[in-house]
Amino acid sequence: MKIDAQLAATIAAVIDEGSFEAAARRLHITQSAVSQRVRVVEQQIGRAALVRSRPVRATEAGEALVRLARQVELLEHDVMVAFGLGDAEPEAAVETAARVRIPLAVNADSMATWFLSPIARIARQHPIDVDLHRDDQDYTARMLESGEVMAAVTSEAEPVGGSAVTPLGVLEYRAMATTDYFERWFADGVSNDALRKAPFVDFDRRDALQQGWLRARGVDPWSVPRHYVPASHDFSHAVRLGLGWGLIPMPQATEDLIELGEPRIRVPLYWQQWNLRSPLLDAIAAEVAAEASRVLVPLR
């Protein structure tokens, strides 16, 4: 059995866009043509590729088809470059060369502090459309495994599904608060009794950083009042407004904040990408690693 690359690309488009209608607009075909292609590939593989939900989700078989589509698109781009028909002359050719979509997963704090700079440099050199997926660093590797993205910044050192892994460095966090907040809640010191009463800022219900810091201090985090602010920039802004204390990544730390004390939380980060020889994907990895070496604390 041979899977038609066009059919796999249609499955990927439906997943990317979330519906048959949106996929049809992206592919410049009718919605019925999208449905027909999906039926053909599902009949060919003998199982459902999509869960018809809102948004549409991939089944395990669908995830395999999405990975195939992504890899074919990337390899086609590399071949075009090798033939001198792509972006072999970076700055001059970016506007006219055929563009390739690059889905990547990254944690919110990396996106807010260092990750966008290398991506912007790559986009100036290659005709790429970057599609960033944001999630906690403990979950981004799942997107790589499912085929949703080609590479990910993750806290997982073990390769996912045979991916290639490159250590990036450590993003260090410190528990910090404003002077006014500190004087109000910790006038007698950062004791466990004070920590049980002082509200903190939490990113979302899957983020374990603040809870881990409290547990390390011997405080049950679920008994402490909290505010949820699920955006990295807004999170640090909320701390600076005195809404609560929070763990601030060191690239965002400023002199107007007071550190509450140990422990300093160290989150090791890794770059995982498909174990597929691609000059474009390797160029992205090299740029990301170079920026990480300038910003992050070295892994020890």
Side-chain angles (χ1 to χ4, degrees):
M1 182 178 68
K2 183 178 179 181
I3 302 295
D4 188 308
Q6 184 184 63
L7 299 181
T10 301
I11 297 295
V14 173
I15 294 301
D16 290 341
E17 303 301 327
S19 71
F20 284 57
E21 181 182 4
R25 287 195 298 268
R26 172 172 149 183
L27 297 173
H28 305 292
I29 58 177
T30 65
Q31 186 173 340
S32 61
V34 171
S35 299
Q36 177 63 23
R37 290 182 184 181
V38 172
R39 282 196 297 271
V40 168
V41 75
E42 288 183 328
Q43 289 170 359
Q44 189 174 9
I45 64 177
R47 66 201 72 183
L50 301 172
V51 177
R52 273 69 168 176
S53 56
R54 294 188 178 182
V56 176
R57 294 182 291 107
T59 64
E60 185 176 351
E63 290 177 353
L65 291 169
V66 170
R67 284 195 299 272
L68 172 63
R70 302 260 197 262
Q71 291 172 0
V72 168
E73 183 181 15
L74 187 61
L75 291 173
E76 284 180 344
H77 171 272
D78 291 339
V79 169
M80 294 295 285
V81 171
F83 288 162
L85 302 174
D87 57 346
E89 298 178 3
E91 297 290 344
V94 168
E95 294 183 4
T96 58
R99 304 184 69 82
V100 59
R101 180 175 171 276
I102 304 292
L104 305 171
V106 59
N107 59 306
D109 289 334
S110 290
M111 189 185 299
T113 56
W114 66 273
F115 187 75
L116 290 179
S117 293
I119 296 304
R121 289 195 293 270
I122 282 289
R124 287 194 293 268
Q125 299 167 16
H126 301 272
I128 62 173
D129 294 327
V130 179
D131 184 0
L132 295 182
H133 298 248
R134 187 190 65 188
D135 205 340
D136 186 86
Q137 61 273 357
D138 294 335
Y139 298 94
T140 49
R142 171 68 187 114
M143 297 185 201
L144 181 66
E145 188 176 29
S146 69
E148 190 173 356
V149 300
M150 295 180 180
V153 176
T154 174
S155 60
E156 295 190 32
E158 292 298 317
V160 175
S163 299
V165 182
T166 301
L168 293 175
V170 172
L171 190 56
E172 186 174 277
Y173 295 78
R174 299 182 186 182
M176 309 190 85
T178 63
T179 301
D180 289 344
Y181 180 93
F182 191 92
E183 291 174 352
R184 177 183 177 184
W185 293 99
F186 302 118
D188 297 324
V190 187
S191 65
N192 284 8
D193 285 341
L195 285 170
R196 291 186 183 96
K197 300 173 184 176
F200 68 94
V201 182
D202 214 351
F203 187 80
D204 60 26
R205 286 164 177 78
R206 295 203 298 179
D207 181 25
L209 291 181
Q210 275 69 219
Q211 293 92 315
W213 188 86
L214 285 167
R215 288 192 185 94
R217 300 284 297 234
V219 176
D220 176 10
W222 299 111
S223 64
V224 182
R226 74 198 64 198
H227 307 281
Y228 288 104
V229 183
S232 186
H233 172 77
D234 296 334
F235 179 97
S236 62
H237 187 52
V239 172
R240 287 184 171 82
L241 289 174
L243 188 62
W245 66 266
L247 281 161
I248 302 295
M250 285 312 299
Q252 288 183 333
T254 51
E255 294 181 356
D256 59 324
L257 296 177
I258 296 176
E259 187 175 357
L260 303 189
E262 299 290 342
R264 294 179 177 178
I265 304 298
R266 293 169 53 88
V267 177
L269 296 176
Y270 302 86
W271 177 256
Q272 291 211 31
Q273 70 179 49
W274 289 341
N275 197 5
L276 179 71
R277 302 317 305 167
S278 163
L280 176 57
L281 202 53
D282 289 346
I284 295 172
E287 199 70 58
V288 168
E291 183 70 18
S293 70
R294 288 190 286 267
V295 177
L296 303 181
V297 178
L299 277 166
R300 291 192 286 271

